[in-house]
Amino acid sequence: LVDAVGDARINNSTEIVCYLSAVHVPTMAAASRARAKAFLLRTPAALRWEEKLQAMGRDAVGWVYSYIHKPANGFPSSTIKLLWGASEPCVPWLDRLLFRAAWPFLFKWAAVLAFDCSPEAQKVRMGRLRGVLDDVDAALAGSGGRYILGASPTYIDVDFAAMWA
């Protein structure tokens, strides 16, 4: 999300929800504002799901990095550079230049150092990811099968769907 007024770049889903609630919802027409408030409402149950989905996101990233770094999976060694935007025109050119210059010395190993890439860690991550899927199944069964937190969609449904897309 890019705030055109302040040129802020927000890439964390929880922060995006807070931003939308604080900046855009108050400017909406009354009928739309009520629906948006309900959709973005951060209830205690939603906050528990936020925490669960944030942990799921970290596990998913760790799983991907570990999978990519395993030579037997056939990814070229430059895959992480591509994922981090080394060739992405939306990333400022100076950032891309610094990234390329520092790649061999620092960034190449950042993902491996940030995440335990052992087979044991992968098993633990997969268990937690499956656990979240089980929790979602249980929540859907409890809500009638359409939405995680009840009868209407919320940002938690969108966050979950985006993470698994």
Side-chain angles (χ1 to χ4, degrees):
L1 174 74
V2 177
D3 173 18
V5 175
D7 196 33
R9 288 169 171 73
I10 307 169
N11 63 2
N12 177 290
S13 56
T14 301
E15 292 170 6
I16 290 170
V17 167
C18 292
Y19 173 84
L20 292 173
S21 295
V23 175
H24 289 288
V25 172
T27 67
M28 299 171 81
S32 297
R33 186 171 52 245
R35 286 193 312 271
K37 278 184 177 181
F39 181 80
L40 297 171
L41 186 61
R42 296 178 79 208
T43 64
L47 293 175
R48 287 190 297 276
W49 274 100
E50 274 184 24
E51 187 176 320
K52 190 177 297 202
L53 295 178
Q54 291 291 325
M56 183 189 85
R58 287 188 298 276
D59 281 336
V61 168
W63 184 86
V64 167
Y65 283 160
S66 183
Y67 188 80
I68 287 171
H69 276 284
K70 186 176 178 184
N73 291 325
F75 285 94
S77 61
S78 62
T79 301
I80 296 292
K81 283 198 317 192
L82 294 173
L83 292 175
W84 283 6
S87 303
E88 178 59 46
C90 295
V91 174
W93 69 269
L94 184 57
D95 291 0
R96 291 191 313 247
L97 180 66
L98 290 172
F99 178 77
R100 287 185 181 133
W103 173 257
F105 309 106
L106 178 62
F107 293 118
K108 182 177 183 179
W109 304 109
V112 176
L113 295 174
F115 295 100
D116 180 355
C117 292
S118 69
E120 295 80 21
Q122 287 297 77
K123 286 180 187 175
V124 169
R125 281 188 195 101
M126 286 305 296
R128 288 192 302 242
L129 290 168
R130 286 185 183 107
V132 171
L133 293 174
D134 291 341
D135 291 346
V136 169
D137 284 343
L140 292 172
S143 72
R146 292 199 65 187
Y147 305 109
I148 293 172
L149 290 176
S152 299
T154 68
Y155 73 97
I156 294 297
D157 298 293
V158 173
D159 197 13
F160 173 76
M163 287 184 156
W164 282 96

